[in-house]
Amino acid sequence: MRMLLALVAGMTLLGGVPAEAQTGVAGKPLRVCVLRDSGGVDPAALIRHPERFDCTTAQHRLGPGDYWAISEDIGLPSRAEAPLNMRVASLWQEGLTLHVLYADGSIATQATDARGVTPLIQLGAIVEQPLPRSPANVVRLLWHVEGSANMRGILLGARLSTAPQSVQANLAMAALYAGFAGLCIALIIYNLALWGALRHRFQLHYCLMVALLLAYAFSSSGALAWAWPEIANNFRLRVNYLLLGATGAAALVFARSFFEERVFAGWLGRYSTVVASLMLGIGLLFFLTAPFGVHLADAAVTCSFVGLATVVAPTLWRAWRLRSNYLWLFAFGWGAPILTAVARTLVNLHLLPWSFWIDNSTILAMMVEAITSALAVAYRIKLLRAERDEAIEREVMTRRLADTDPLTGLLNRRAFLHQAIGREGEQLLLIIDLDHFKRVNDTLGHDGGDEVLRVFARMLRTSVPQGTLVARIGGEEFAILTPTEKPVEPEAVLDRLRQMRMPFDIKVTASIGTCRGTLASEVDWKALYRIADAALFDAKSAGRDRVRHAMREAA
């Protein structure tokens, strides 16, 4: 509950309803006016004359350079028991010096070093400057911004905060980023484990995308400045753009490997490869060239994200047209990042005003993307499992059809020999032939004769112990092979046949020839079968409906 209250309080401070009821203007955005630095200006004189500053022209229209920025009047004290902080957005600039004018006429000054605002970075990449404590009220603030690229503005998001508000804001952002980091780490570990078992390529691409999302969140949140205090803030921003471009490229690579191949077939696959390469290349270009041409590099990054949006629409359209199984998951998962990219692009083009939440919306969109993609991966694995099970079932059915006599459902001759030859130990072979089967066909017709064969086969299948091979090896000729320690009594088979009711109550009998021996090779089979077949012939010659046993001569 305390964390929830902290999150709500932090959101109130950073972008919601101002906390004016408790702290005057603390927590409320401050109006800031700017003046280009023409050199040789005394800060003490400048801070006492705010009328010299431009409060109407949009900051981004003034171009890059060095600037002075002044706040509206404040009229609050910053004391030991209730210190005040000034929070502003982290922007591309070489240095930031803060001058504080107090009601007693004194001026306090804070200047950054070669690292820029890195020591002042808080979670959310917010620059927080503690106002020096004094019994006198703070009148106004004056910043000297050196080397401002002024891509979005010169000084943005200025607001006062009390110490509790600053703590609550950091707690809120810590909860957000820690939750996202934990989610990413869990997803990476889980999908790497799945990859180890299933070896689907898209799982590795998903892990790469989530790892880059995590790296970008680490950099853009300001945590990189905490972990590496010596880093210059402009270098951190360069790392942000590099990781952002790599993340966009990884998202496209993941999408290509995740969707069915037909979705990215042809020109769309080639175009997505080009866009992914451009995103990665432009991110690297910004990292390398920003100190020399940050505006051009920033414009290239904006164009690359426009290019990413141009891939999404035809991908979703083709996925819909081809009835992809993953369309709606990706449409939902990509919705938040695309809306975020559009909003940030509109801010970059100065069609929307700068906002802390738009500037930090990428992390929320990434969280939606990571969760939705995780669901998509789980769904893909479910479908792959279903496809695998279906393929196994088809394979089993195909093998069964290949090994089974279609009329009786018993093994056919090929499958019978494949399983019989090589059996260990002495085997008992029974060759069974239905007597006068031509008469059955003549009496009942071929359909009736087929039904007699099916009934007889069913009887054989239910009359033998487990592990016995039963096959139809000819028209009305059947074979039974069983180990001699689990013999099938041929007389019992004939007794059951005599008692069975056949179609149209026709009387059906059979003759059986048996032989014992080993089946280590095909030669053994031929010898065993020849002897059993000879015994069957003897049974036929002796009047049918009987059994004759034969012994295989020792080799």
Side-chain angles (χ1 to χ4, degrees):
M1 178 60 99
R2 292 181 63 186
M3 183 62 73
L4 179 60
L5 292 174
L7 180 61
V8 172
M11 292 178 66
T12 299
L13 171 64
L14 294 174
V17 179
E20 295 176 271
Q22 299 176 355
T23 57
V25 297
K28 179 182 178 181
L30 293 178
R31 187 180 64 164
V32 173
C33 305
V34 296
L35 175 69
R36 184 177 287 275
D37 182 9
S38 56
V41 180
D42 180 14
L46 198 60
I47 198 172
R48 293 182 172 89
H49 295 281
E51 69 275 2
R52 298 177 57 184
F53 287 77
D54 183 355
C55 299
T56 58
T57 305
Q59 292 183 16
H60 70 269
R61 296 182 180 277
L62 300 176
D66 297 343
Y67 286 89
W68 296 96
I70 197 166
S71 73
E72 62 180 285
D73 289 350
I74 295 172
L76 285 176
S78 178
R79 298 192 178 99
E81 63 276 11
L84 292 178
N85 300 311
M86 171 52 59
R87 296 169 70 89
V88 296
S90 170
L91 302 173
W92 185 279
Q93 52 195 214
E94 298 298 331
L96 185 67
T97 302
L98 174 65
H99 304 276
V100 185
L101 173 63
Y102 294 94
D104 60 4
S106 63
I107 296 177
T109 299
Q110 297 177 339
T112 59
D113 54 24
R115 297 171 295 172
V117 297
T118 295
L120 306 173
I121 290 290
Q122 304 298 308
L123 285 179
I126 291 294
V127 178
E128 183 175 279
Q129 297 171 285
L131 300 187
R133 298 162 189 179
S134 171
N137 284 356
V138 176
V139 177
R140 67 181 65 94
L141 308 176
L142 176 72
W143 293 269
H144 187 215
V145 184
E146 300 174 76
S148 171
N150 197 8
M151 294 180 291
R152 317 282 178 261
I154 298 164
L155 195 83
L156 297 175
R159 68 177 67 227
L160 282 174
S161 70
T162 63
Q165 287 175 328
S166 296
V167 170
Q168 290 169 348
N170 272 332
L171 281 175
M173 299 309 295
L176 177 65
Y177 284 106
F180 179 71
L183 173 68
C184 289
I185 292 171
L187 290 174
I188 290 171
I189 293 173
Y190 176 69
N191 281 278
L192 282 177
L194 282 180
W195 177 79
L198 303 176
R199 299 287 174 169
H200 294 303
R201 185 178 57 181
F202 68 83
Q203 293 172 296
L204 287 181
H205 293 161
Y206 176 75
C207 290
L208 173 63
M209 181 187 73
V210 175
L212 287 171
L213 289 177
L214 180 60
Y216 174 75
F218 182 73
S219 173
S220 64
S221 67
L224 178 61
W226 290 14
W228 187 5
E230 300 305 316
I231 189 176
N233 188 56
N234 284 354
F235 185 83
R236 182 188 67 83
L237 293 174
R238 289 161 62 192
V239 172
N240 282 359
Y241 278 92
L242 175 61
L243 292 173
L244 192 58
T247 300
L252 277 181
V253 170
F254 168 62
R256 283 202 60 178
S257 63
F258 185 84
F259 271 113
E260 300 91 340
E261 289 186 8
R262 66 183 188 275
V263 173
F264 280 93
W267 69 269
L268 184 57
R270 295 189 294 270
Y271 180 61
S272 63
T273 300
V274 170
V275 172
S277 302
L278 283 176
M279 293 198 72
L280 181 59
I282 290 174
L284 182 60
L285 178 71
F286 188 99
F287 180 80
L288 296 175
T289 65
F292 317 107
V294 66
H295 281 84
L296 183 61
D298 181 70
V301 170
T302 300
C303 292
S304 71
F305 274 87
V306 172
L308 176 61
T310 63
V311 174
V312 173
T315 299
L316 296 180
W317 176 81
R318 182 176 282 187
W320 173 80
R321 188 168 61 86
L322 296 176
R323 302 293 188 269
S324 169
N325 293 313
Y326 318 114
L327 169 62
W328 300 115
L329 279 169
F330 262 83
F332 180 76
W334 280 5
I338 292 303
L339 290 176
T340 297
V342 169
R344 293 191 64 168
T345 300
L346 292 176
V347 170
N348 293 355
L349 298 175
H350 311 295
L351 299 175
L352 284 179
W354 181 91
S355 162
F356 172 84
W357 289 111
I358 292 180
D359 198 48
N360 286 271
S361 60
T362 303
I363 188 66
L364 298 174
M366 288 177 173
M367 187 177 297
V368 173
E369 165 68 12
I371 294 173
T372 308
S373 296
L375 294 175
V377 168
Y379 182 59
R380 174 71 185 273
I381 291 174
K382 176 180 179 295
L383 292 183
L384 287 172
R385 185 188 64 186
E387 291 174 3
R388 180 204 62 191
D389 292 346
E390 185 179 350
I392 292 174
E393 186 176 345
R394 284 198 305 267
E395 182 180 358
V396 170
M397 184 61 67
T398 301
R399 288 183 178 178
R400 185 175 297 170
L401 291 174
D403 294 346
T404 303
D405 173 59
L407 178 64
T408 62
L410 301 178
L411 293 175
N412 57 29
R413 184 183 182 89
R414 183 195 62 79
F416 176 77
L417 293 180
H418 178 74
Q419 297 183 39
I421 296 175
R423 274 198 162 196
E424 296 181 356
E426 188 178 52
Q427 305 292 318
L428 172 63
L429 175 64
L430 283 68
I431 303 297
I432 308 170
D433 190 85
L434 296 181
D435 297 329
H436 302 299
F437 193 71
K438 185 175 182 304
R439 295 180 187 174
V440 174
N441 280 332
D442 292 342
T443 303
L444 302 180
H446 287 287
D447 289 343
D450 289 346
E451 182 61 25
V452 169
L453 292 175
R454 279 192 288 266
V455 172
F456 180 64
R458 194 180 308 122
M459 182 272 290
L460 290 181
R461 195 163 41 238
T462 58
S463 301
V464 298
Q466 187 176 5
T468 300
L469 300 181
V470 183
R472 182 189 179 198
I473 59 176
E476 62 271 11
E477 185 176 338
F478 297 81
I480 295 177
L481 185 71
T482 185
T484 53
E485 62 268 18
K486 297 180 180 179
V488 173
E489 296 298 333
E491 289 82 2
V493 173
L494 293 182
D495 286 342
R496 287 201 62 183
L497 177 58
R498 295 182 191 113
Q499 297 169 12
M500 287 192 66
R501 183 174 181 180
M502 288 292 178
F504 300 99
D505 291 327
I506 191 172
K507 182 70 172 178
V508 177
T509 61
S511 301
I512 302 178
T514 73
C515 186
R516 297 171 181 265
T518 58
L519 284 173
S521 65
E522 188 174 353
V523 173
D524 291 337
W525 159 253
K526 289 180 178 179
L528 199 64
Y529 177 78
R530 185 176 63 251
I531 297 170
D533 191 56
L536 173 63
F537 181 78
D538 290 344
K540 293 280 188 181
S541 300
R544 295 181 172 84
D545 191 21
R546 65 198 64 216
V547 179
R548 288 291 183 266
H549 303 279
M551 296 297 295
R552 184 178 177 184
E553 296 180 1

